[in-house]
Amino acid sequence: MASLSFLSSLHHTPSSHLILRNPKAVKVRTFTVSFSSIRAQAVPALTQDDLKKLAADKAVDYVKSGMVLGLGTGSTAAFVVDKLGHLLKTGQLKDIIGIPTSKRTEEQAKSLNIPLTTLDDHPVLDLAIDGADEVDPDLNLVKGRGGALLREKMVEAASKSFVVVADETKLVTGLGGSKLAMPVEVVQFCWKFNLVRLQDLFKELGCEAKLRVDAAGKPYVTDNFNYIVDLYFETPIRDGVSAGKEIGKLEGVVEHGLFLDMATAVIIAGKSGVEVKTK
Ligand SMILES: O=C(CO)[C@H](O)[C@H](O)COP(=O)(O)O
């Protein structure tokens, strides 16, 4: 693990601080910090958790004292919250206030004594940091496999900057391309009705819709007391904007996991380095 902290220090390039100042440029820009320079030191193979932690450490570089921060949900975001707790405890960060995107994250933040607030009290955030399930070449995302998509979208849409942290397994060429779930949160009332309508909407893409269930086989209930219908695509979604609009027209659908044109920067940790992609 000593090697990991060395790698983290490599990522502290001055150019990284320019990234968030240019969120609206059209082209996706990438810079990579390669691990090759330290290969001679016999770095042990990095696990997926190591990669998530590297991405999380890099994202925390963007956090400044006094910020109102969106705290994401999931295993990668949990590393970010852990690090923030550590930096607060050691006095390296001060006056941070967080808005958690799930009850799970709220509990974690409380256990680390991170002060919390709500969107009601702080409707504009400085920065949100969260994981993602899929990242396409234009930095559009699928999120919500952890079930927190509604609060995540509300918090991240209210943030001036949104930094995504992920390992390289999350990269896809088209949304839905991982063949894993694209979640849609629906009201419990007549959920089957909406499951069928969602599947029909994407039948040309070979979509299969399934109600998410918990370990006991009971419907998974979100923090907002809704259900989740997971959509599995044979063929990736070609037009995310239209897909999002069509899903949004269905009465009883609360939110979907397509996070389009929301990410300011995506930090991807892979076996050969940490890549920061910006728009
Ligand atoms: O959207 C999410 C939760 O609703 C997560 O950010 C997403 O599922 C990624 O999680 P992980 O970092 O554990 O892979």
Side-chain angles (χ1 to χ4, degrees), residues 73-76 130-133 143-148 152 170:
T73 296
S75 55
T76 319
D130 201 353
D133 299 302
K143 283 188 49 56
R145 277 181 208 149
E152 289 173 335
K170 306 297 180 64

Side-chain angles (χ1 to χ4, degrees), residues 7 21 86 147 152 193 201:
L7 290 176
R21 297 201 193 110
H86 171 75
E152 289 173 335
F193 169 73
L201 200 56

Side-chain angles (χ1 to χ4, degrees), residues 4 17 19 33 40 87 93 114 121 134 137 139 146 152 206 217 221 237:
L4 285 182
H17 296 294
I19 286 163
V33 180
L87 294 175
L93 273 179
I114 299 175
D121 290 335
E134 294 185 9
L139 311 191
E152 289 173 335
V221 179
I237 298 167

Side-chain angles (χ1 to χ4, degrees), residues 4-267:
L4 285 182
S5 56
F6 175 64
L7 290 176
S8 301
S9 68
L10 274 181
H11 307 150
H12 235 307
T13 61
S15 57
S16 65
H17 296 294
L18 297 173
I19 286 163
L20 299 183
R21 297 201 193 110
N22 188 20
K24 292 292 167 204
V26 181
K27 263 181 91 178
V28 172
R29 291 180 301 135
T30 300
F31 74 82
T32 308
V33 180
S34 143
F35 299 160
S36 56
S37 56
I38 47 119
R39 277 207 184 109
Q41 297 181 13
V43 181
L46 297 172
T47 65
Q48 196 176 9
D49 270 358
D50 291 336
L51 296 178
K52 289 176 182 184
K53 189 169 179 305
L54 282 171
D57 284 353
K58 176 69 192 161
V60 171
D61 287 351
Y62 296 117
V63 179
K64 305 279 171 268
S65 291
M67 278 187 165
V68 180
L69 281 180
L71 307 176
T73 296
S75 55
T76 319
F79 284 122
V80 174
V81 177
D82 271 346
K83 183 83 189 257
L84 290 173
H86 171 75
L87 294 175
L88 275 174
K89 191 174 170 187
T90 54
Q92 294 172 76
L93 273 179
K94 289 190 171 64
D95 303 323
I96 292 299
I97 190 156
I99 303 186
T101 53
S102 64
K103 289 183 183 159
R104 242 175 308 154
T105 301
E106 182 179 340
E107 278 163 27
Q108 185 194 5
K110 279 182 178 161
S111 76
L112 295 164
N113 298 316
I114 299 175
L116 296 179
T117 184
T118 65
L119 277 180
D120 291 335
D121 290 335
H122 287 87
V124 180
L125 292 79
D126 297 297
L127 171 66
I129 306 176
D130 201 353
D133 299 302
E134 294 185 9
V135 179
D136 85 359
D138 296 321
L139 311 191
N140 295 313
L141 317 169
V142 166
K143 283 188 49 56
R145 277 181 208 149
L149 62 154
L150 174 58
R151 295 188 187 192
E152 289 173 335
K153 200 176 272 188
M154 288 176 73
V155 169
E156 286 144 22
S159 188
K160 289 183 205 160
S161 293
F162 172 30
V163 171
V164 175
V165 281
D167 65 89
E168 62 190 353
T169 64
K170 306 297 180 64
L171 294 173
V172 294
T173 49
L175 297 179
S178 67
K179 306 219 167 159
L180 298 173
M182 198 287 272
V184 181
E185 184 158 345
V186 300
V187 294
Q188 293 193 22
F189 174 71
C190 290
W191 60 266
K192 262 188 216 158
F193 169 73
N194 270 323
L195 182 146
V196 172
R197 292 205 296 175
L198 283 163
Q199 185 166 285
D200 283 353
L201 200 56
F202 298 108
K203 64 171 178 268
E204 279 171 18
L205 301 179
C207 173
E208 191 181 359
K210 290 184 187 167
L211 182 71
R212 189 178 296 189
V213 292
D214 63 18
K218 299 233 169 68
Y220 173 89
V221 179
T222 68
D223 285 349
N224 322 295
F225 307 106
N226 296 310
Y227 285 169
I228 288 185
V229 172
D230 283 319
L231 304 183
Y232 297 84
F233 296 92
E234 261 314 304
T235 309
I237 298 167
R238 277 180 295 272
D239 181 351
V241 174
S242 303
K245 276 192 189 143
E246 291 306 311
I247 297 171
K249 282 184 197 162
L250 302 177
E251 302 80 5
V253 164
V254 181
E255 194 47 85
H256 58 77
L258 297 172
F259 284 47
L260 308 173
D261 204 18
M262 287 179 66
T264 317
V266 176
I267 299 173

